[in-house]
Amino acid sequence: MKVSLNWIKDYVKLPEDMDLTRLAYDLTMSTVEVEGAEDLAKRFEHMLVGVVTEVCPHPNADKLRICKTDIGGGDIREIVCGGTNLTAGMRVAVACPGALCRWHGEGEPVVIKNSKLRGVESFGMICASDEIGLGELFPSETEGEILDLSAFDVPAGTSLADALDMNDVLLEIDNKSMTNRPDLWGHYGIAREIAALYNLPLAKIEPFRADVQSDFKVEIEDPDRCTRYIGVEMSGVAVKPAPYKMQNRIWKVGMRPINALVDITNYVMLATGNPTHAFDADNITDHIVVR
């Protein structure tokens, strides 16, 4: 199981100078085996948000273009790119020299360098989402599509980790060490354990209260194996993307964002450890039977 420390901080205020090695050791010795910790921002070292100021034709290649790109403070660099959706004013992910990327999202990561493409000097690379490991968070709709970050209102030169909320530490916890502790199968449970270890206050998850009237029926055929199952019917919902913060959080811990209706069920599960699922009512004949 992957755990985001930023998510944990919703429930327990960790000291700013928290020693992550010590945290991993204390959790391992007292509760669950922490197999590793990753500083997520390191995946995006030497990457920043650039703003394309002008798109010009390449003199020697029909499928390439020269993008004059502001990489911060009015520093305009020419970057040769074959992206099909490039336009002036677009915010893009720029891999500067020294960054690690996968060409077209395939193969082993390579170190980006200044280079000459078909006779034109190029600074770094303007990236597609899968070239920097973000294909599941920002899936491309067409081949050759560059990652469009125009929805993120940040100035040119902002580090990609800052712009996309990737300054986080991910803990990898061995599932086998917690099979007997279902109270730990979510971020809130791990936060409770950390609060107990260091005598820190634990925030409460306030219940959502609503006057819900529903005649939806759930039948449990084997109450010895399933003691409780709650169902409610909702209408007036729309299939659309979840807020970026929600997509970002579930992606960090290993799940692929789908849409708001699916993502909220996964978010609740990852937060509390309680599995939830949304069904399309058109596919349910009468009621849910738990066998």
Side-chain angles (χ1 to χ4, degrees), residues 55-214:
V55 180
C56 308
H58 193 292
N60 304 315
D62 293 339
K63 293 186 177 182
L64 296 178
R65 286 180 287 177
I66 301 170
C67 298
K68 295 183 179 181
T69 307
D70 185 351
I71 62 169
D75 184 1
I76 308 297
R77 301 294 180 99
E78 290 190 346
I79 304 177
V80 177
C81 183
T84 57
N85 59 323
L86 288 165
T87 59
M90 180 176 171
R91 287 186 180 88
V92 293
V94 177
C96 301
L100 282 171
C101 300
R102 286 184 168 86
W103 292 110
H104 305 293
E106 300 176 353
E108 293 297 316
V110 296
V111 179
I112 299 301
K113 302 176 182 178
N114 286 336
S115 59
K116 185 178 288 188
L117 297 175
R118 299 295 294 271
V120 176
E121 293 284 347
S122 179
F123 172 83
M125 184 172 83
I126 294 175
C127 303
S129 59
D130 57 359
E131 291 176 321
I132 53 177
L134 296 176
E136 291 190 335
L137 188 56
F138 299 99
S140 299
E141 296 182 1
T142 60
E143 186 176 354
E145 182 180 301
I146 290 301
L147 174 57
D148 186 353
L149 298 177
S150 299
F152 294 84
D153 188 15
V154 295
T158 303
S159 75
L160 197 62
D162 286 341
L164 301 183
D165 190 22
M166 297 297 177
N167 289 300
D168 200 352
V169 173
L170 305 180
L171 301 180
E172 184 78 41
I173 295 176
D174 180 12
N175 289 347
K176 296 190 298 295
S177 67
M178 57 195 297
T179 53
N180 66 322
R181 291 287 305 274
D183 58 308
L184 300 177
W185 295 353
H187 281 74
Y188 192 71
I190 297 295
R192 184 193 298 112
E193 199 71 14
I194 292 173
L197 278 173
Y198 299 110
N199 195 28
L200 299 170
L202 179 71
K204 291 183 179 180
I205 297 181
E206 296 297 333
F208 174 78
R209 303 189 185 280
D211 184 15
V212 178
Q213 302 295 327
S214 175

